[in-house]
Amino acid sequence: MPNATRDTLAQLSSHYAGKRCLVTGGLGFIGSNLTLALVEAGARVTVVDSLEPRHGGDRRNIEDAPVDVVIGDIGEPDAVRDPLAGAEYVFNLAGQVSHLDSMTDPLHDLEINARSQLAFLEELRRISPKARLVYSSTRQVYGRPQVLPVDETHPLDPVDVNGVSKLAADRLHRLYHRVHGVPATVLRLSNVYGPRQRLDGDHQGFLPAFLRRAIEGEPITVFGDGSQQRDCIYVDDALRALLAAAWSPSAPGEVFNIGHHEHLSLLEIAEIVVAAAGSGEVLSAPWPEERQRIAIDSYWTDYGKAARVLGWEPTISLAEGLAETLANHRSRLAWQA
Amino acid sequence: MPNATRDTLAQLSSHYAGKRCLVTGGLGFIGSNLTLALVEAGARVTVVDSLEPRHGGDRRNIEDAPVDVVIGDIGEPDAVRDPLAGAEYVFNLAGQVSHLDSMTDPLHDLEINARSQLAFLEELRRISPKARLVYSSTRQVYGRPQVLPVDETHPLDPVDVNGVSKLAADRLHRLYHRVHGVPATVLRLSNVYGPRQRLDGDHQGFLPAFLRRAIEGEPITVFGDGSQQRDCIYVDDALRALLAAAWSPSAPGEVFNIGHHEHLSLLEIAEIVVAAAGSGEVLSAPWPEERQRIAIDSYWTDYGKAARVLGWEPTISLAEGLAETLANHRSRLAWQA
């Protein structure tokens, strides 16, 4: 098992040299970063991405990396049959991530995050049942925390349709392990940020909205007193978790929370973003109703199980990660929508 | 609040005289029994049922009761728009109940039990957001019990796709209460049996299979040592819970386990069935693989919350309920498939 606590992203990805990897959602935020890291390490990467307009995919995210790209929904057997054939590692990152969108178009969210995932699992178990599979679930499956920090035994009570759909897929991955022997691992990721995350629109989460406003010199709006806390992980730390989970012999059938010990209020996070950007300001505003009714108060992660079993810990502070992220976004703003 | 502990089915259903009630799945097992009870009490009942061939619906279940029947899937807005208009009470019983079928056709199960339910909730919150809504969830959402008896705080970890789909709908009902104010209540029912339950095929659950074999004088097969325990509730007791939950002012937003204090091994239940039927015999057989991998060992219900909040308790023993059930089935075998 790799010792991910100390192992860098480069060390962890080096295990995949020459390996056949499939990355679903590979043109999206986390998927494209993973794809580039795997390609850099010498892996043979295939990407399946639907390029749904409001999701995170963009062809430019993987630049001209030597990758086979299939444009299609993972719920369509025709789109995934060839990519699955021969895959040794499947990083299943495809999905719709917006909590707000899941409430205005709940059926689309269920279709993408539950039905397509189930159809994908059915194809995978037929075509490539021995491939190591890692699914990116979300802290949202826990809903409003009853105790903090949140570990994997916390009750599961999602507060929005996105949480319900993602939890269904989370369970289905474990079920396909138990019933069909698929070596699947589930990571429940906290708020991930970094290069290639979409900043346009406010539906992708609070950090992209904060970053865009700071970069553009606009005020960042914090709802209520801004005291609700979050832990945020830089995308490279999330990639280290994905790579360790797909490699570790102890990971199949397991669920791991992936987050950060650094937990800060949204007000503090907004102030750090403004300081890092050198522009923008922080304003308070009353809660909009459509946000307040799916708000979860404070959340931060107990990642002790990932530390024990995968040897994974986050390595990058919010200040460090934001500096990287801002530098990257500034260089890419020209083509951001 | 009605005192359902003592109130009979007739007393509870009398509250609904003159009320406009919608019963989804109203041609199925529980739905048709409920429909007949409501009609008997003078309610104005509309039924929506898809009559999907492998599900439980059959027009003959409601005989010639004066009921508006709409044949359609509750996931189709056109099928439910008129039935929802003006509905004061919605008993949402539509679904696919076979655990085995959910593993051979998982996408159908998710479509029926999660997607159609979500589409129905969307129509309901637009057309009839104040209607009292009761959803029939299942003990299967808990999966393999970690402690016995199982109360509503037990971890939710379904072992088959049916459990995942039903749990998604279970959560969605509570979410539509929290977020949209729909007065929804969820009942997690244990094994329900009684008149109008389909006995054909072995995919509907163990009790229908036991009953059919006993009636036909065939041996009942119990897998393994038959020591896994279950609680079974007679359909009239399930109806009492549905009627109490739709009426009680304390029920919206709540989840209740509905089961029986009488818990018996499958071997004991098989022997009681044979004794009640006066025919058949009990045989042991090794577990078929497709059943063993979704088996949950023993389950029985802690229905204390329903007793406290709804004043509901089961009133009919397995021996009494089986006698009723067998008498009814014998009189109806002529048209059973």
Short mmCIF file of all heavy atoms in Angstrom, two decimals, chain A residues 103 106-107 110 114-115 118-119 122 125 156-161 164 167-168 171-172 174-176 178-180 293-294, chain B residues 103 106-107 110 114-115 118-119 122 125 144 156-161 164 167-168 171-172 174-176 178-180 293-294:
data_model
loop_
_atom_site.label_atom_id
_atom_site.label_comp_id
_atom_site.label_asym_id
_atom_site.label_seq_id
_atom_site.Cartn_x
_atom_site.Cartn_y
_atom_site.Cartn_z
N MET A 103 -32.50 21.28 -7.13
CA MET A 103 -33.81 21.61 -6.59
C MET A 103 -34.71 22.23 -7.66
O MET A 103 -35.93 22.14 -7.57
CB MET A 103 -33.67 22.57 -5.39
CG MET A 103 -32.86 21.98 -4.24
SD MET A 103 -33.44 20.35 -3.66
CE MET A 103 -35.01 20.82 -2.93
N PRO A 106 -34.96 18.61 -10.40
CA PRO A 106 -34.61 17.40 -9.64
C PRO A 106 -34.53 16.14 -10.50
O PRO A 106 -33.68 15.27 -10.25
CB PRO A 106 -35.72 17.30 -8.59
CG PRO A 106 -36.85 18.13 -9.10
CD PRO A 106 -36.22 19.23 -9.91
N LEU A 107 -35.37 16.05 -11.52
CA LEU A 107 -35.36 14.82 -12.33
C LEU A 107 -34.06 14.70 -13.12
O LEU A 107 -33.53 13.60 -13.30
CB LEU A 107 -36.57 14.79 -13.26
CG LEU A 107 -37.89 14.53 -12.50
CD1 LEU A 107 -39.09 14.86 -13.38
CD2 LEU A 107 -37.96 13.08 -12.03
N LEU A 110 -31.43 13.40 -10.65
CA LEU A 110 -31.57 11.95 -10.39
C LEU A 110 -31.14 11.14 -11.61
O LEU A 110 -30.50 10.08 -11.48
CB LEU A 110 -33.02 11.63 -10.03
CG LEU A 110 -33.27 10.20 -9.54
CD1 LEU A 110 -32.80 10.03 -8.10
CD2 LEU A 110 -34.75 9.84 -9.63
N ALA A 114 -27.93 9.27 -10.42
CA ALA A 114 -28.32 7.94 -9.95
C ALA A 114 -28.54 6.98 -11.13
O ALA A 114 -27.87 5.96 -11.23
CB ALA A 114 -29.57 8.02 -9.09
N ARG A 115 -29.43 7.33 -12.05
CA ARG A 115 -29.74 6.39 -13.13
C ARG A 115 -28.52 6.11 -14.00
O ARG A 115 -28.23 4.97 -14.33
CB ARG A 115 -30.88 6.93 -13.98
CG ARG A 115 -31.48 5.89 -14.90
CD ARG A 115 -31.68 6.37 -16.33
NE ARG A 115 -31.99 5.23 -17.16
CZ ARG A 115 -31.12 4.68 -18.00
NH1 ARG A 115 -29.90 5.16 -18.12
NH2 ARG A 115 -31.47 3.63 -18.71
N LEU A 118 -26.11 3.89 -12.20
CA LEU A 118 -26.54 2.49 -12.12
C LEU A 118 -26.33 1.79 -13.47
O LEU A 118 -25.85 0.65 -13.53
CB LEU A 118 -28.02 2.43 -11.70
CG LEU A 118 -28.65 1.04 -11.61
CD1 LEU A 118 -27.86 0.11 -10.69
CD2 LEU A 118 -30.11 1.15 -11.13
N ALA A 119 -26.68 2.47 -14.55
CA ALA A 119 -26.47 1.88 -15.88
C ALA A 119 -24.98 1.62 -16.12
O ALA A 119 -24.59 0.59 -16.68
CB ALA A 119 -27.03 2.81 -16.96
N GLU A 122 -23.87 -1.43 -14.25
CA GLU A 122 -24.30 -2.65 -14.93
C GLU A 122 -23.35 -3.00 -16.07
O GLU A 122 -22.99 -4.17 -16.26
CB GLU A 122 -25.73 -2.47 -15.47
CG GLU A 122 -26.79 -2.69 -14.42
CD GLU A 122 -26.91 -4.17 -14.06
OE1 GLU A 122 -27.42 -4.97 -14.87
OE2 GLU A 122 -26.47 -4.54 -12.96
N ARG A 125 -19.89 -4.14 -14.57
CA ARG A 125 -19.80 -5.48 -13.98
C ARG A 125 -19.82 -6.56 -15.05
O ARG A 125 -19.33 -7.67 -14.83
CB ARG A 125 -20.90 -5.70 -12.95
CG ARG A 125 -22.27 -6.08 -13.50
CD ARG A 125 -23.19 -6.40 -12.34
NE ARG A 125 -24.55 -6.65 -12.77
CZ ARG A 125 -25.06 -7.88 -12.96
NH1 ARG A 125 -24.31 -8.95 -12.78
NH2 ARG A 125 -26.31 -8.02 -13.33
N LEU A 156 -26.88 9.32 7.57
CA LEU A 156 -26.97 9.82 6.20
C LEU A 156 -28.35 10.43 6.00
O LEU A 156 -29.35 9.72 6.00
CB LEU A 156 -26.74 8.66 5.23
CG LEU A 156 -25.36 8.00 5.36
CD1 LEU A 156 -25.38 6.57 4.84
CD2 LEU A 156 -24.31 8.82 4.62
N ASP A 157 -28.41 11.73 5.86
CA ASP A 157 -29.72 12.40 5.77
C ASP A 157 -29.61 13.64 4.90
O ASP A 157 -29.68 14.77 5.39
CB ASP A 157 -30.20 12.76 7.18
CG ASP A 157 -31.67 13.15 7.19
OD1 ASP A 157 -32.38 12.87 6.20
OD2 ASP A 157 -32.12 13.76 8.18
N PRO A 158 -29.43 13.43 3.59
CA PRO A 158 -29.18 14.57 2.70
C PRO A 158 -30.34 15.55 2.69
O PRO A 158 -31.50 15.17 2.83
CB PRO A 158 -28.98 13.93 1.33
CG PRO A 158 -29.50 12.54 1.44
CD PRO A 158 -29.39 12.15 2.88
N VAL A 159 -30.02 16.82 2.49
CA VAL A 159 -31.03 17.89 2.57
C VAL A 159 -31.48 18.39 1.20
O VAL A 159 -32.33 19.26 1.12
CB VAL A 159 -30.50 19.09 3.37
CG1 VAL A 159 -30.19 18.68 4.80
CG2 VAL A 159 -29.28 19.71 2.71
N ASP A 160 -30.88 17.86 0.13
CA ASP A 160 -31.32 18.30 -1.20
C ASP A 160 -31.31 17.10 -2.14
O ASP A 160 -30.80 16.03 -1.80
CB ASP A 160 -30.47 19.46 -1.72
CG ASP A 160 -28.98 19.17 -1.69
OD1 ASP A 160 -28.61 17.99 -1.90
OD2 ASP A 160 -28.19 20.10 -1.47
N VAL A 161 -31.90 17.30 -3.31
CA VAL A 161 -32.03 16.18 -4.25
C VAL A 161 -30.66 15.70 -4.71
O VAL A 161 -30.43 14.50 -4.88
CB VAL A 161 -32.92 16.59 -5.45
CG1 VAL A 161 -32.92 15.51 -6.52
CG2 VAL A 161 -34.36 16.83 -4.96
N VAL A 164 -29.53 13.23 -2.26
CA VAL A 164 -30.27 11.95 -2.37
C VAL A 164 -29.75 11.14 -3.56
O VAL A 164 -29.52 9.93 -3.46
CB VAL A 164 -31.79 12.20 -2.52
CG1 VAL A 164 -32.53 10.91 -2.83
CG2 VAL A 164 -32.35 12.84 -1.24
N LEU A 167 -26.21 9.93 -2.95
CA LEU A 167 -26.21 8.86 -1.95
C LEU A 167 -26.69 7.55 -2.57
O LEU A 167 -26.17 6.48 -2.25
CB LEU A 167 -27.08 9.25 -0.75
CG LEU A 167 -27.15 8.22 0.38
CD1 LEU A 167 -25.76 7.79 0.85
CD2 LEU A 167 -27.94 8.78 1.55
N ALA A 168 -27.66 7.62 -3.45
CA ALA A 168 -28.10 6.39 -4.12
C ALA A 168 -26.92 5.77 -4.88
O ALA A 168 -26.68 4.56 -4.78
CB ALA A 168 -29.27 6.69 -5.06
N ARG A 171 -24.38 4.26 -2.46
CA ARG A 171 -24.81 2.94 -1.99
C ARG A 171 -24.71 1.90 -3.09
O ARG A 171 -24.38 0.74 -2.84
CB ARG A 171 -26.27 2.99 -1.57
CG ARG A 171 -26.46 3.75 -0.33
CD ARG A 171 -27.95 3.84 -0.01
NE ARG A 171 -28.12 4.72 1.11
CZ ARG A 171 -27.68 4.45 2.32
NH1 ARG A 171 -27.06 3.31 2.58
NH2 ARG A 171 -27.85 5.32 3.30
N LEU A 172 -25.05 2.27 -4.30
CA LEU A 172 -25.02 1.30 -5.40
C LEU A 172 -23.60 0.81 -5.63
O LEU A 172 -23.38 -0.38 -5.92
CB LEU A 172 -25.60 1.91 -6.68
CG LEU A 172 -27.12 2.12 -6.65
CD1 LEU A 172 -27.58 3.01 -7.81
CD2 LEU A 172 -27.87 0.78 -6.69
N ARG A 174 -21.28 0.46 -3.36
CA ARG A 174 -20.98 -0.52 -2.32
C ARG A 174 -21.75 -1.81 -2.54
O ARG A 174 -21.27 -2.91 -2.30
CB ARG A 174 -21.27 0.09 -0.95
CG ARG A 174 -20.20 1.12 -0.58
CD ARG A 174 -20.46 1.71 0.77
NE ARG A 174 -21.65 2.55 0.74
CZ ARG A 174 -22.47 2.73 1.76
NH1 ARG A 174 -22.24 2.10 2.89
NH2 ARG A 174 -23.51 3.52 1.66
N LEU A 175 -22.99 -1.68 -3.01
CA LEU A 175 -23.82 -2.85 -3.27
C LEU A 175 -23.22 -3.71 -4.39
O LEU A 175 -23.22 -4.95 -4.31
CB LEU A 175 -25.21 -2.35 -3.64
CG LEU A 175 -26.40 -3.28 -3.56
CD1 LEU A 175 -27.65 -2.44 -3.30
CD2 LEU A 175 -26.58 -4.05 -4.84
N TYR A 176 -22.70 -3.07 -5.43
CA TYR A 176 -22.09 -3.84 -6.51
C TYR A 176 -20.79 -4.50 -6.04
O TYR A 176 -20.37 -5.51 -6.61
CB TYR A 176 -21.89 -2.97 -7.76
CG TYR A 176 -23.14 -2.96 -8.63
CD1 TYR A 176 -24.34 -2.48 -8.14
CD2 TYR A 176 -23.14 -3.52 -9.92
CE1 TYR A 176 -25.50 -2.51 -8.89
CE2 TYR A 176 -24.30 -3.56 -10.68
CZ TYR A 176 -25.48 -3.05 -10.16
OH TYR A 176 -26.63 -3.10 -10.91
N ARG A 178 -20.53 -5.69 -2.82
CA ARG A 178 -21.01 -6.77 -1.96
C ARG A 178 -21.64 -7.89 -2.76
O ARG A 178 -21.40 -9.07 -2.51
CB ARG A 178 -22.06 -6.23 -0.98
CG ARG A 178 -21.53 -5.99 0.38
CD ARG A 178 -22.61 -5.76 1.43
NE ARG A 178 -23.66 -4.86 1.05
CZ ARG A 178 -24.12 -3.86 1.80
NH1 ARG A 178 -23.58 -3.62 2.97
NH2 ARG A 178 -25.12 -3.11 1.41
N VAL A 179 -22.49 -7.51 -3.71
CA VAL A 179 -23.30 -8.51 -4.40
C VAL A 179 -22.56 -9.08 -5.62
O VAL A 179 -22.61 -10.28 -5.87
CB VAL A 179 -24.66 -7.92 -4.82
CG1 VAL A 179 -25.44 -8.91 -5.67
CG2 VAL A 179 -25.45 -7.52 -3.59
N HIS A 180 -21.90 -8.21 -6.36
CA HIS A 180 -21.28 -8.64 -7.62
C HIS A 180 -19.75 -8.71 -7.55
O HIS A 180 -19.11 -9.06 -8.56
CB HIS A 180 -21.70 -7.70 -8.75
CG HIS A 180 -23.19 -7.65 -8.97
ND1 HIS A 180 -23.92 -8.77 -9.29
CD2 HIS A 180 -24.09 -6.63 -8.91
CE1 HIS A 180 -25.21 -8.43 -9.41
NE2 HIS A 180 -25.33 -7.15 -9.19
N ARG A 293 -33.07 27.03 2.78
CA ARG A 293 -33.81 25.80 3.07
C ARG A 293 -33.02 24.54 2.77
O ARG A 293 -33.45 23.46 3.14
CB ARG A 293 -35.17 25.82 2.37
CG ARG A 293 -35.09 25.93 0.88
CD ARG A 293 -36.45 26.26 0.29
NE ARG A 293 -36.34 26.26 -1.17
CZ ARG A 293 -37.36 26.37 -1.99
NH1 ARG A 293 -38.57 26.46 -1.53
NH2 ARG A 293 -37.17 26.35 -3.28
N ILE A 294 -31.89 24.68 2.07
CA ILE A 294 -31.02 23.49 1.92
C ILE A 294 -29.66 23.72 2.58
O ILE A 294 -28.71 23.00 2.31
CB ILE A 294 -30.87 23.08 0.44
CG1 ILE A 294 -30.21 24.18 -0.39
CG2 ILE A 294 -32.20 22.68 -0.16
CD1 ILE A 294 -29.84 23.74 -1.82
N MET B 103 -32.63 -6.91 -8.78
CA MET B 103 -31.25 -7.27 -9.08
C MET B 103 -31.09 -7.74 -10.53
O MET B 103 -30.00 -7.63 -11.09
CB MET B 103 -30.77 -8.35 -8.12
CG MET B 103 -30.80 -7.92 -6.65
SD MET B 103 -29.95 -6.34 -6.31
CE MET B 103 -28.24 -6.83 -6.57
N PRO B 106 -32.21 -3.81 -12.57
CA PRO B 106 -32.05 -2.70 -11.61
C PRO B 106 -32.54 -1.36 -12.15
O PRO B 106 -33.09 -0.56 -11.39
CB PRO B 106 -30.55 -2.68 -11.32
CG PRO B 106 -29.90 -3.42 -12.43
CD PRO B 106 -30.90 -4.43 -12.89
N LEU B 107 -32.37 -1.13 -13.44
CA LEU B 107 -32.77 0.18 -13.98
C LEU B 107 -34.28 0.35 -13.93
O LEU B 107 -34.78 1.45 -13.68
CB LEU B 107 -32.24 0.35 -15.40
CG LEU B 107 -30.73 0.58 -15.45
CD1 LEU B 107 -30.20 0.38 -16.87
CD2 LEU B 107 -30.36 1.96 -14.94
N LEU B 110 -35.15 1.28 -10.30
CA LEU B 110 -34.85 2.68 -10.01
C LEU B 110 -35.84 3.62 -10.70
O LEU B 110 -36.29 4.62 -10.13
CB LEU B 110 -33.42 3.01 -10.45
CG LEU B 110 -32.89 4.38 -10.02
CD1 LEU B 110 -32.52 4.39 -8.54
CD2 LEU B 110 -31.69 4.80 -10.86
N ALA B 114 -37.85 5.23 -7.77
CA ALA B 114 -37.22 6.52 -7.44
C ALA B 114 -37.64 7.60 -8.43
O ALA B 114 -38.23 8.61 -8.06
CB ALA B 114 -35.70 6.38 -7.39
N ARG B 115 -37.40 7.38 -9.71
CA ARG B 115 -37.69 8.44 -10.68
C ARG B 115 -39.18 8.79 -10.75
O ARG B 115 -39.56 9.95 -10.73
CB ARG B 115 -37.19 8.04 -12.08
CG ARG B 115 -37.16 9.22 -13.03
CD ARG B 115 -37.74 8.90 -14.41
NE ARG B 115 -37.88 10.14 -15.15
CZ ARG B 115 -39.03 10.79 -15.31
NH1 ARG B 115 -40.15 10.30 -14.83
NH2 ARG B 115 -39.08 11.91 -15.95
N LEU B 118 -40.16 10.72 -7.68
CA LEU B 118 -39.70 12.12 -7.70
C LEU B 118 -40.58 12.95 -8.63
O LEU B 118 -40.98 14.08 -8.29
CB LEU B 118 -38.23 12.17 -8.12
CG LEU B 118 -37.60 13.56 -8.24
CD1 LEU B 118 -37.74 14.36 -6.95
CD2 LEU B 118 -36.12 13.43 -8.63
N ALA B 119 -40.89 12.40 -9.81
CA ALA B 119 -41.75 13.13 -10.74
C ALA B 119 -43.13 13.36 -10.11
O ALA B 119 -43.73 14.44 -10.25
CB ALA B 119 -41.88 12.35 -12.05
N GLU B 122 -42.98 16.15 -7.61
CA GLU B 122 -42.93 17.45 -8.27
C GLU B 122 -44.33 17.90 -8.68
O GLU B 122 -44.70 19.05 -8.52
CB GLU B 122 -42.01 17.38 -9.50
CG GLU B 122 -40.55 17.52 -9.17
CD GLU B 122 -40.20 18.96 -8.77
OE1 GLU B 122 -40.18 19.84 -9.64
OE2 GLU B 122 -39.98 19.19 -7.57
N ARG B 125 -46.40 18.76 -5.44
CA ARG B 125 -46.12 20.02 -4.74
C ARG B 125 -46.64 21.22 -5.53
O ARG B 125 -46.89 22.27 -4.97
CB ARG B 125 -44.62 20.16 -4.45
CG ARG B 125 -43.76 20.63 -5.60
CD ARG B 125 -42.34 20.87 -5.10
NE ARG B 125 -41.42 21.19 -6.15
CZ ARG B 125 -41.03 22.45 -6.44
NH1 ARG B 125 -41.52 23.47 -5.76
NH2 ARG B 125 -40.16 22.65 -7.41
N ARG B 144 -29.29 -5.20 6.48
CA ARG B 144 -29.05 -6.26 7.46
C ARG B 144 -29.03 -5.62 8.85
O ARG B 144 -28.18 -4.76 9.12
CB ARG B 144 -27.67 -6.88 7.15
CG ARG B 144 -27.47 -8.29 7.55
CD ARG B 144 -26.21 -8.86 6.89
NE ARG B 144 -26.48 -9.43 5.58
CZ ARG B 144 -25.93 -9.03 4.43
NH1 ARG B 144 -25.02 -8.08 4.42
NH2 ARG B 144 -26.26 -9.60 3.29
N LEU B 156 -29.12 3.15 7.85
CA LEU B 156 -29.80 2.80 6.60
C LEU B 156 -28.77 2.26 5.63
O LEU B 156 -27.90 3.00 5.16
CB LEU B 156 -30.47 4.05 6.03
CG LEU B 156 -31.54 4.67 6.95
CD1 LEU B 156 -31.74 6.14 6.66
CD2 LEU B 156 -32.84 3.90 6.80
N ASP B 157 -28.82 0.98 5.34
CA ASP B 157 -27.78 0.39 4.49
C ASP B 157 -28.39 -0.75 3.68
O ASP B 157 -28.08 -1.92 3.90
CB ASP B 157 -26.63 -0.10 5.36
CG ASP B 157 -25.40 -0.43 4.53
OD1 ASP B 157 -25.33 -0.01 3.36
OD2 ASP B 157 -24.50 -1.12 5.06
N PRO B 158 -29.24 -0.42 2.69
CA PRO B 158 -29.95 -1.46 1.95
C PRO B 158 -29.01 -2.39 1.20
O PRO B 158 -27.94 -1.98 0.76
CB PRO B 158 -30.83 -0.66 0.97
CG PRO B 158 -30.27 0.73 0.95
CD PRO B 158 -29.60 0.94 2.26
N VAL B 159 -29.44 -3.64 1.08
CA VAL B 159 -28.57 -4.66 0.48
C VAL B 159 -28.94 -4.99 -0.96
O VAL B 159 -28.29 -5.82 -1.58
CB VAL B 159 -28.62 -5.97 1.30
CG1 VAL B 159 -28.12 -5.74 2.72
CG2 VAL B 159 -30.02 -6.57 1.33
N ASP B 160 -30.00 -4.37 -1.48
CA ASP B 160 -30.35 -4.64 -2.88
C ASP B 160 -30.83 -3.35 -3.54
O ASP B 160 -31.05 -2.33 -2.87
CB ASP B 160 -31.39 -5.77 -2.99
CG ASP B 160 -32.62 -5.52 -2.15
OD1 ASP B 160 -33.00 -4.35 -2.00
OD2 ASP B 160 -33.19 -6.50 -1.65
N VAL B 161 -30.97 -3.40 -4.85
CA VAL B 161 -31.31 -2.18 -5.59
C VAL B 161 -32.71 -1.70 -5.18
O VAL B 161 -32.94 -0.49 -5.08
CB VAL B 161 -31.21 -2.44 -7.11
CG1 VAL B 161 -31.75 -1.25 -7.90
CG2 VAL B 161 -29.74 -2.69 -7.49
N VAL B 164 -32.26 0.44 -2.24
CA VAL B 164 -31.66 1.74 -2.59
C VAL B 164 -32.70 2.67 -3.22
O VAL B 164 -32.81 3.84 -2.87
CB VAL B 164 -30.46 1.55 -3.55
CG1 VAL B 164 -29.96 2.90 -4.07
CG2 VAL B 164 -29.33 0.79 -2.87
N LEU B 167 -35.34 3.69 -0.66
CA LEU B 167 -34.76 4.63 0.29
C LEU B 167 -34.64 6.02 -0.34
O LEU B 167 -34.88 7.04 0.33
CB LEU B 167 -33.40 4.14 0.78
CG LEU B 167 -32.70 5.04 1.79
CD1 LEU B 167 -33.58 5.39 2.98
CD2 LEU B 167 -31.41 4.39 2.27
N ALA B 168 -34.29 6.08 -1.61
CA ALA B 168 -34.22 7.38 -2.28
C ALA B 168 -35.60 8.05 -2.21
O ALA B 168 -35.72 9.23 -1.86
CB ALA B 168 -33.75 7.23 -3.72
N ARG B 171 -36.41 9.21 1.36
CA ARG B 171 -35.75 10.49 1.65
C ARG B 171 -36.40 11.63 0.91
O ARG B 171 -36.50 12.74 1.42
CB ARG B 171 -34.30 10.43 1.21
CG ARG B 171 -33.48 9.54 2.05
CD ARG B 171 -32.05 9.52 1.53
NE ARG B 171 -31.33 8.51 2.26
CZ ARG B 171 -31.03 8.61 3.54
NH1 ARG B 171 -31.40 9.68 4.22
NH2 ARG B 171 -30.38 7.65 4.15
N LEU B 172 -36.77 11.41 -0.34
CA LEU B 172 -37.35 12.49 -1.13
C LEU B 172 -38.66 12.98 -0.51
O LEU B 172 -38.95 14.17 -0.50
CB LEU B 172 -37.57 12.04 -2.58
CG LEU B 172 -36.27 11.89 -3.40
CD1 LEU B 172 -36.54 11.14 -4.70
CD2 LEU B 172 -35.62 13.24 -3.68
N ARG B 174 -39.39 12.99 2.69
CA ARG B 174 -39.05 13.83 3.84
C ARG B 174 -38.47 15.16 3.38
O ARG B 174 -38.74 16.21 3.97
CB ARG B 174 -38.09 13.08 4.76
CG ARG B 174 -38.82 11.96 5.52
CD ARG B 174 -37.89 11.25 6.45
NE ARG B 174 -36.92 10.47 5.68
CZ ARG B 174 -35.69 10.23 6.07
NH1 ARG B 174 -35.26 10.70 7.23
NH2 ARG B 174 -34.89 9.50 5.33
N LEU B 175 -37.68 15.12 2.29
CA LEU B 175 -37.08 16.35 1.77
C LEU B 175 -38.16 17.29 1.25
O LEU B 175 -38.08 18.51 1.46
CB LEU B 175 -36.12 15.93 0.66
CG LEU B 175 -35.06 16.89 0.19
CD1 LEU B 175 -33.89 16.07 -0.36
CD2 LEU B 175 -35.56 17.80 -0.89
N TYR B 176 -39.18 16.76 0.59
CA TYR B 176 -40.25 17.63 0.09
C TYR B 176 -41.07 18.20 1.25
O TYR B 176 -41.69 19.25 1.11
CB TYR B 176 -41.11 16.89 -0.95
CG TYR B 176 -40.52 17.04 -2.34
CD1 TYR B 176 -39.26 16.53 -2.63
CD2 TYR B 176 -41.19 17.73 -3.36
CE1 TYR B 176 -38.68 16.70 -3.88
CE2 TYR B 176 -40.61 17.90 -4.61
CZ TYR B 176 -39.37 17.38 -4.86
OH TYR B 176 -38.79 17.56 -6.10
N ARG B 178 -39.52 19.01 4.22
CA ARG B 178 -38.62 20.01 4.81
C ARG B 178 -38.48 21.23 3.92
O ARG B 178 -38.52 22.36 4.39
CB ARG B 178 -37.22 19.39 5.00
CG ARG B 178 -36.95 18.97 6.40
CD ARG B 178 -35.48 18.67 6.66
NE ARG B 178 -34.82 17.86 5.67
CZ ARG B 178 -34.09 16.78 5.95
NH1 ARG B 178 -33.96 16.37 7.19
NH2 ARG B 178 -33.48 16.12 4.99
N VAL B 179 -38.28 20.98 2.63
CA VAL B 179 -37.94 22.08 1.72
C VAL B 179 -39.20 22.74 1.16
O VAL B 179 -39.26 23.96 1.04
CB VAL B 179 -37.04 21.57 0.58
CG1 VAL B 179 -36.79 22.66 -0.44
CG2 VAL B 179 -35.73 21.05 1.16
N HIS B 180 -40.19 21.94 0.82
CA HIS B 180 -41.36 22.50 0.14
C HIS B 180 -42.61 22.52 1.01
O HIS B 180 -43.67 22.95 0.56
CB HIS B 180 -41.65 21.70 -1.15
CG HIS B 180 -40.51 21.74 -2.13
ND1 HIS B 180 -40.02 22.91 -2.66
CD2 HIS B 180 -39.76 20.74 -2.67
CE1 HIS B 180 -39.01 22.63 -3.49
NE2 HIS B 180 -38.84 21.32 -3.51
N ARG B 293 -27.04 -13.71 -1.46
CA ARG B 293 -26.21 -12.51 -1.46
C ARG B 293 -27.00 -11.24 -1.16
O ARG B 293 -26.41 -10.20 -0.94
CB ARG B 293 -25.44 -12.39 -2.79
CG ARG B 293 -26.30 -12.33 -4.00
CD ARG B 293 -25.46 -12.52 -5.26
NE ARG B 293 -26.33 -12.40 -6.42
CZ ARG B 293 -25.92 -12.35 -7.66
NH1 ARG B 293 -24.64 -12.43 -7.94
NH2 ARG B 293 -26.78 -12.22 -8.65
N ILE B 294 -28.33 -11.33 -1.14
CA ILE B 294 -29.10 -10.16 -0.68
C ILE B 294 -29.92 -10.50 0.57
O ILE B 294 -30.83 -9.77 0.94
CB ILE B 294 -30.01 -9.58 -1.79
CG1 ILE B 294 -31.06 -10.60 -2.27
CG2 ILE B 294 -29.19 -9.10 -2.98
CD1 ILE B 294 -32.12 -9.99 -3.21
#
